[in-house]
Amino acid sequence: MSINYLLVPSTVRPLPVFYEIQVKPLTYKYIGYFGALTFRRDNVDILIKAFAESVARSRCNYFWSLVDTALKATKNIIISLAEEMNILNKINLLDYMPREEITKYIAGSEILVMVRSKDMESQASFPSKLTEYLAASIPLITV
């Protein structure tokens, strides 16, 4: 029995794209998450809770920046959860922006974070943002 495999490399912008960025887009230190603001696949709710338990309650002066690609209903849930966790003033929900702008925010992050759910779709796929985060050469926290 023969099994055929197709190897598809993860595509990511070349490293110079990140190194060429000289000016950080935000004036404060921030942890970055730049992807789908979903609860099912990317577990943004877990990231919010982890942020609340660690950085927001410590003496570190970090903020958490997320790019807003969510539906209005999801955005409202994120805001409600941040209010419930008493960290709304520490979260910067950025408006949707083009890829070139997102690259600047990735490069300006002090730490990048991501988590994936355990559903079959998430487990069977490889997140392209992971490759991009690694190419940026910024500390990354993931599971």
Side-chain angles (χ1 to χ4, degrees):
M1 182 166 134
S2 171
I3 299 175
N4 294 324
Y5 291 97
L6 174 63
L7 177 62
V8 180
S10 181
T11 57
V12 67
R13 304 189 110 188
L15 283 174
V17 170
F18 295 105
Y19 295 136
E20 291 168 359
I21 297 170
Q22 300 297 318
V23 178
K24 291 187 175 194
L26 299 172
T27 58
Y28 49 84
K29 292 181 179 181
Y30 62 94
I31 296 169
Y33 171 81
F34 307 97
L37 297 180
T38 64
F39 300 110
R40 185 182 66 80
R41 186 171 178 180
D42 290 310
N43 291 127
V44 172
D45 54 330
I46 291 173
L47 291 174
I48 291 170
K49 291 172 185 174
F51 179 75
E53 291 298 321
S54 58
V55 177
R57 297 184 193 270
S58 71
R59 293 185 179 162
C60 295
N61 194 22
Y62 281 84
F63 290 80
W64 191 34
S65 294
L66 304 96
V67 173
D68 177 12
T69 58
L71 299 172
K72 187 172 182 171
T74 304
K75 182 178 178 180
N76 290 338
I77 294 169
I78 290 169
I79 291 169
S80 293
L81 182 57
E83 285 175 338
E84 178 185 321
M85 303 297 294
N86 200 28
I87 58 166
L88 187 58
N89 65 332
K90 290 289 223 172
I91 291 182
N92 184 10
L93 194 56
L94 302 165
D95 291 330
Y96 174 81
M97 61 186 72
R99 165 71 37 228
E100 295 76 26
E101 287 297 309
I102 291 174
T103 302
K104 292 176 187 176
Y105 282 86
I106 290 172
S109 300
E110 299 293 321
I111 302 168
L112 295 165
V113 294
M114 65 173 285
V115 66
R116 300 274 286 192
S117 69
K118 291 187 178 184
D119 70 351
M120 184 181 286
E121 181 182 351
S122 297
Q123 296 298 305
S125 65
F126 185 84
S128 59
K129 75 174 142 283
L130 176 59
T131 309
E132 191 162 37
Y133 284 3
L134 292 171
S137 298
I138 293 170
L140 168 66
I141 299 171
T142 187
V143 295

